[in-house]
Amino acid sequence: MSWMLEEQGFNPDKITTNGNKFIIGNGAMGYRGTLEEYTKEQLTACTLAGLYDKVGDRWREPINAPNGLSTRFVCDGEPLSLLSAAYESHDQTLNIRNATFRRRTIFKAAEGNLIDISSQRFVSMEHLDLIATRIEFKCSKDCEMLVQTGIDGEVWDINGPHLESFVADERDGVLELSAVTHELKQTVSVAETIVWEGMTGQGIIKDGASIYRTSLVYCKAGTSYSFVKYFAVNFGDHRESVAKKSLTRVLEARLDSYETHLLRHETHWERKWELSDVRIEGDEEAQFALRYSIYQLHVIAPTLSEKVSIPARGLSGQVYKGAVFWDTEMFMLPFFLHSQPEVARNLVMYRIHTLDGARRKAEEYGYRGAYYAWESQDTGDDACTLFNITDVFTNRPMRTYFRDKQIHISADAAHGIWQYHEFTGDDSVLVDGGAEVILECARFFYSYSYYKEDKRRFEMLDVTGPDEYHERVNNNAFTNALVGQTLDIALQTAELLRVKHPEAYEALIAKLDFGNDLDNLGKMLSGLYMPQPDPLTKIIEQFDGYSKLEDVDLATLKSRILNKNEYLGGGNGLATTTRILKQADVVLMLHLFKGRYSREVKKANWEYYEPRTEHGSSLSSCIYALVASDIGYADWAYEYFMRTATIDLTGESKQYVGTLYIGGTHPAANGGAWMAAILGFAGLHLDQGVVNLNPSLPGRWSSMSFAVQVRGQSFRISVSGTETSILSNAGNSSAQAFRIGSEERMLKPGDGFSCRISGNEGGGELAG
Amino acid sequence: MSWMLEEQGFNPDKITTNGNKFIIGNGAMGYRGTLEEYTKEQLTACTLAGLYDKVGDRWREPINAPNGLSTRFVCDGEPLSLLSAAYESHDQTLNIRNATFRRRTIFKAAEGNLIDISSQRFVSMEHLDLIATRIEFKCSKDCEMLVQTGIDGEVWDINGPHLESFVADERDGVLELSAVTHELKQTVSVAETIVWEGMTGQGIIKDGASIYRTSLVYCKAGTSYSFVKYFAVNFGDHRESVAKKSLTRVLEARLDSYETHLLRHETHWERKWELSDVRIEGDEEAQFALRYSIYQLHVIAPTLSEKVSIPARGLSGQVYKGAVFWDTEMFMLPFFLHSQPEVARNLVMYRIHTLDGARRKAEEYGYRGAYYAWESQDTGDDACTLFNITDVFTNRPMRTYFRDKQIHISADAAHGIWQYHEFTGDDSVLVDGGAEVILECARFFYSYSYYKEDKRRFEMLDVTGPDEYHERVNNNAFTNALVGQTLDIALQTAELLRVKHPEAYEALIAKLDFGNDLDNLGKMLSGLYMPQPDPLTKIIEQFDGYSKLEDVDLATLKSRILNKNEYLGGGNGLATTTRILKQADVVLMLHLFKGRYSREVKKANWEYYEPRTEHGSSLSSCIYALVASDIGYADWAYEYFMRTATIDLTGESKQYVGTLYIGGTHPAANGGAWMAAILGFAGLHLDQGVVNLNPSLPGRWSSMSFAVQVRGQSFRISVSGTETSILSNAGNSSAQAFRIGSEERMLKPGDGFSCRISGNEGGGELAG
């Protein structure tokens, strides 16, 4: 039960959100949870990772491939579609353990004929270009069933159409459809074949951008009919080689049975869960929500490619331009670092591969170094537009500064690389370009900074922090802290390279002409202004002058809203002139630098900012959960954990702004759910090579247990209200230090360590 | 003719603009050009200089005194008011030579009785608290005329009511009305008396905030009746002493005849014109417009007080909070410096008296030194609100940064003081506080500045220049130039004091603890970034990134306007994201630093910015006229000169924004007209003690002549198309250097110097 997402009945209003909720994927492709009879009108999409296109001056966005699962049943001339036909029952299921989607519908055709149609599908984790489905049907009365199945090239596009020059063909029972993207002239080629023993003849229908096979089946009442369908998607420069890849994939696929394919696929998923499952006892709802969050991360993780990262809406469509934001490093990376460092490596390598784009952006704005894209796609050039929002009152494009001023993105990229190094102990990413990224990001910050002579300090001016409702502020505490961290890790990186990889060090410093800048970074780091807690209130001001803004409560602010879609930030936004923030900002800093601030400071700031936070971003709740755990506010932590863990289950996030669809999945919130559980409730925290555990479980949880990977070693951790235990995998190759509360222990391979906790406050006294 | 502004007939739509156009005043009071029968509905106002009031959280603004000219005629029971009664003719005249207003109306009463009512009034230049009027009436048939004349305390207020606790009384034929301001509890006391030989008995009517005397006259057909009315206005802390001042003034006034008072008043005006008149031959329209502009400056000039300066709408009401802007120093001061240095001294002393307000503002924003108010009133605290404009689309207050970011105001104040010193050679203003202001302004800029390590330069960030459509920009060329000037004059001032007034110097440096800051100023001046002309195009970028903004033409921009009152600047304004500017910005810099830029640069920038300027401010046209003259574009200069010189004659400026009246007179444009004529067409320019003349007359002008004061000496200058002559007043005490083109001459008292010019380009070759 706690692996199955089930929905009974059919509600047309849920088509869009179910598309997200029932998504399957493998990191290379995402396939939305739509039904075989759906078309682009129902936002059917097979979204490809890493291929983008731009039409005219519209937004550049990822490609949705032609839909190779498109299938229509027509019973005695009557189309069987949930959208139009009568039905007796419908249910659909997502098995998150093996990432399979099932639907079963019993249609009511003429003369009481009940047609039972079911299908199962998966996006193969074995072959990343392959999708397989098995479709069954059965009638309660004899009838003529027309089965039409093929490839629908009429795809859902937000800013398309992106595919043109369609070529459709049929060869040896394989349907092929190729098309070329508008901008980069990349060929997307889909091949499809079915395995249907006893199929009687077929006709081919080509209709512009689609190709279908048609087969007429004389169904006998009570007899089950079924077929298997494979489709493969590839893209690349050369039409022929791309087409051949897809063709070969389906031709090979049909040599094995559907069950064999499924088994191989499941093996991958078993391994994923082995590495990443979190077991919660005592709270079924939380257990499923957390597993579902982890599932969402698995379906979009780039397991084999270091040229793509995870877009802010995963692979659930083209929303947010399919772009990679800071979400990846700050909200998703921790999950992968702790469970599958090889995926984490791909994610950070993506930043290395897009360094030149970041350099171009820095240069465009007149800076040196690397200014990473706020919205990053294949090249690392910024896909974010200057007028990114439409004013609902005038219908005019509104100038926003997401692209220009969220400089913390470069710190986030550097932070991700350094985190990878810290967690894995693996220098290779640094040598293979990571050090270059870190130094270039630090150089960017130096070139962005200003020195305030009158106060003898460096300041970061005219930035936008996580709270995007307040654009272009000075000395955003979060940003300054992240900039300081980048300078620090740049100096550490340089020193590490100098000592351990002197040749690489010399080559890099020479290539970047970085000699003087190393001194500059040191000077800047020691002089960088860090907003401090107010001596009396302990509040850290979010940015210069924040405390002079109107202190209105959230309800009052919302009562001022004239149009439900109006943007609260920007030039004239309602929140802009108040202290209402979009999302965790100072509080995120308190999480990232938890060792730097006392519990008193964290508590004061959590309490101050929490009621002022609108949570207009799905990145907010998990951070409030994390810091609530840290300061011992377990009830608050649980509430915020559940908000972040259920975001894609409830589908309650905003789906449309005006006519623009902005829904989709929320991988950052999914990653946030994992963080809230492991880094929050279990209180896991790696600090200078020591794994700290400071658990604070929600009241209703009797225990939680999970695996983690640290520095190439595997551990299992169990936490209950009374005891915390750690087991070092017997196959580990080296010892690792752990600290529970004040007790520290070095665990050798195969060692265990248990610590009894008395009292409710996590991380309090230790016994035994 | 060229001294008389006449209007025949009556058009109710012109009541408001005629109130401005026919204004009279003496610098202490302005009396709008309204009629005796008007009330606050017709915006009747006697606006007081230097007294402000604030009600609740509404805007602080000046006081309109109770109206002591209020007079009503009722003929055989029928009120004679232009607003309601039938009339045969009406005309009104403003004589700008002696600042008298006349009206004459022939009413048509019952049974064909024609009632001829005329009046003349003036605001005394002899006694600054006195207004006098003479009223005559005559009937064509016998009738009973009820004359009701007194003080109307129901005054026009924009953000009032400001006066409360009215006390009305009559003593010995004098009506007295006192009231107290809301905020500062200042008493405003008005006394009124009439001189009417043969008046038959009177009754007194007190009605809340008003007091009138009533007299019934049995008029004989053809007989003229007349009376004289004096009223005095004073204000201050103590009700009794203030009331006594007004009472004494009118009691003394009645001892002399109206004609005697008028004569004394005229003597003052004769002297003003002697010092300031500009005679133009060949262009009657321009002659009158320029004289009228000068007239407007005379009626608001603070001749006796150094505690007030000139508000942006003069004394024509409460618009713009009666506040003093940079308009005074940059657009009006030159006129007074060249004609009446003692008035110029008062204007600059106002900044000295408001230094503490400027210090408070600097401290409020976290800076040192003096940050002058964008909208300055009596104390120098900033009257400008943070939400100064209402968004027409949402009706919400719009956050604007006029107050926060127009730092050039401190440079303007310092510039004014230094200009005074340069023109007069008078150190006393520096010793009497001017040096302190200059040093504190320079210190403010140092504390506001940032050092860009990466570019080794000081920058001025997050400022708003003259073009208010682009708020919060970096390195506005104008602002940086003005800041540099302030640093420079601060260093010069310190050196001047050190050498010439060593004790004052020591005391000042010690008082301000300025030792280190002198070094800082020097360092900043030598490192301050000054945006330079582009090597290819010669264009000076208005601010960092201006050239990346949309380059839309003005007509296209205007075609995007959805609401005629929408603000083009601010967060989401139409101009904000384009290169369209509100008013001269770079071009103003080219005027102020004309010696610093080549003609080629001035020409390129004038041509570039001129079509992009919306002239949304009345401060713009004169600057385009000045630089057009400088680069030899006489036709353009003339067109812009006429725009600025006729602004209060045509009344074509914007009068209302929504329901808010924003009309009034435009003293900066008036001062700009004088600048365009003398500094532009005559090309007068004081440079390091030498008066340069570089004339470039408009084609239709055969000649212009005017007087100027330089360093305490008087000169007459005549310019024609062929000759420029200068005459040093025989009563002068020292010699003065002049340069016409390349020819320089030292003129001793009584000396003349003529220079023949060949060719049309002003300042070209010299002959003779």
Side-chain angles (χ1 to χ4, degrees), chain A residues 364 447 450 452 459 548, chain B residues 364 447 450 452 459 548:
Chain A
E364 176 196 337
S447 102
Y450 279 94
K452 186 71 172 177
E459 300 189 16
K548 287 187 180 176
Chain B
E364 176 196 338
S447 103
Y450 279 95
K452 186 72 173 177
E459 299 189 16
K548 287 186 179 176

Side-chain angles (χ1 to χ4, degrees), chain B residues 445-508:
Chain B
F445 288 130
Y446 175 71
S447 103
Y448 195 92
S449 74
Y450 279 95
Y451 188 69
K452 186 72 173 177
E453 285 246 330
D454 209 35
K455 296 179 176 170
R456 300 180 182 281
R457 66 193 196 191
F458 284 87
E459 299 189 16
M460 302 308 293
L461 306 175
D462 200 5
V463 307
T464 304
D467 167 23
E468 292 167 317
Y469 289 163
H470 295 95
E471 295 185 318
R472 310 193 63 181
V473 302
N474 294 339
N475 296 312
N476 168 255
F478 167 89
T479 301
N480 285 25
L482 268 279
V483 167
Q485 185 188 50
T486 303
L487 301 174
D488 184 40
I489 65 180
L491 294 170
Q492 287 193 58
T493 299
E495 185 60 13
L496 183 152
L497 246 59
R498 196 181 64 76
V499 172
K500 293 178 69 182
H501 309 276
E503 279 177 31
Y505 173 78
E506 294 299 338
L508 183 60

Side-chain angles (χ1 to χ4, degrees), chain A residues 240-496:
Chain A
E240 278 180 27
S241 67
V242 171
K244 196 175 169 197
K245 266 194 205 166
S246 294
L247 178 69
T248 308
R249 176 65 67 210
V250 297
L251 289 176
E252 284 179 9
R254 59 184 302 157
L255 301 178
D256 289 317
S257 71
Y258 177 82
E259 288 69 25
T260 303
H261 283 292
L262 180 58
L263 207 64
R264 289 182 191 142
H265 167 76
E266 283 176 331
T267 307
H268 287 273
W269 274 92
E270 278 307 312
R271 177 67 185 148
K272 283 182 189 296
W273 286 114
E274 207 173 281
L275 292 167
S276 65
D277 189 29
V278 181
R279 300 201 57 175
I280 298 170
E281 301 295 335
D283 189 344
E284 276 283 323
E285 196 189 346
Q287 170 69 84
F288 182 74
L290 179 54
R291 276 191 178 144
Y292 180 78
S293 299
I294 293 170
Y295 166 80
Q296 283 285 4
L297 293 167
H298 284 314
V299 299
I300 53 179
T303 52
L304 294 184
S305 172
E306 52 177 56
K307 296 286 182 70
V308 299
S309 182
I310 305 179
R313 288 290 179 265
L315 295 172
S316 64
Q318 295 161 322
V319 169
Y320 289 160
K321 313 179 189 92
V324 179
F325 291 67
W326 68 314
D327 305 34
T328 309
E329 275 82 2
M330 307 310 273
F331 295 84
M332 304 175 215
L333 188 66
F335 165 74
F336 294 109
L337 277 177
H338 288 77
S339 63
Q340 298 144 276
E342 67 284 4
V343 177
R345 191 180 203 282
N346 287 343
L347 296 175
V348 303
M349 286 304 295
Y350 166 78
R351 294 299 188 184
I352 294 169
H353 290 296
T354 50
L355 173 59
D356 280 344
R359 284 186 171 125
R360 285 189 291 272
K361 181 174 170 185
E363 196 185 350
E364 176 196 337
Y365 283 106
Y367 302 108
R368 299 189 296 132
Y371 185 3
Y372 273 86
W374 184 244
E375 303 187 5
S376 184
Q377 298 175 333
D378 45 348
T379 62
D381 291 286
D382 208 322
C384 189
T385 55
L386 302 185
F387 294 80
N388 217 38
I389 289 178
T390 297
D391 182 349
V392 295
F393 298 109
T394 58
N395 213 28
R396 291 174 184 152
M398 185 189 290
R399 182 68 164 95
T400 49
Y401 293 86
F402 305 118
R403 182 190 203 273
D404 316 63
K405 297 300 175 187
Q406 296 201 61
I407 62 164
H408 68 79
I409 183 66
S410 279
D412 306 328
H415 172 87
I417 294 168
W418 190 247
Q419 284 284 98
Y420 175 80
H421 170 260
E422 288 282 278
F423 260 81
T424 61
D426 170 13
D427 292 353
S428 73
V429 162
L430 295 178
V431 177
D432 293 350
E436 187 170 353
V437 167
I438 289 171
L439 291 185
E440 285 289 74
C441 287
R443 172 183 263 169
F444 164 66
F445 288 131
Y446 174 71
S447 102
Y448 195 92
S449 74
Y450 279 94
Y451 189 69
K452 186 71 172 177
E453 284 247 331
D454 208 34
K455 296 180 176 172
R456 300 178 181 281
R457 67 193 194 191
F458 284 87
E459 300 189 16
M460 302 309 291
L461 305 176
D462 200 4
V463 307
T464 304
D467 167 22
E468 292 167 316
Y469 290 164
H470 295 95
E471 294 184 319
R472 311 194 63 181
V473 301
N474 294 339
N475 295 312
N476 168 255
F478 167 89
T479 302
N480 285 25
L482 268 280
V483 167
Q485 185 188 50
T486 303
L487 300 174
D488 184 40
I489 64 181
L491 294 170
Q492 287 192 58
T493 299
E495 184 61 12
L496 183 152

Side-chain angles (χ1 to χ4, degrees), chain A residues 1-7 21-25 33 91-103 119-123 125 258 262 265-266 269-270 272-273 288 291-296 298-299 649:
Chain A
M1 146 60 199
S2 50
W3 295 98
M4 303 299 265
L5 175 66
E6 285 182 281
E7 188 157 299
K21 197 167 161 180
F22 289 85
I23 196 170
I24 55 178
D91 54 82
Q92 58 187 55
T93 313
L94 178 70
N95 180 341
I96 61 172
R97 182 155 200 166
N98 65 1
T100 53
F101 173 85
R102 270 186 61 90
R103 70 86 62 97
S119 68
Q120 186 194 44
R121 74 171 80 127
F122 61 92
V123 180
M125 216 33 115
Y258 177 82
L262 180 58
H265 167 76
E266 283 176 331
W269 274 92
E270 278 307 312
K272 283 182 189 296
W273 286 114
F288 182 74
R291 276 191 178 144
Y292 180 78
S293 299
I294 293 170
Y295 166 80
Q296 283 285 4
H298 284 314
V299 299
L649 291 169

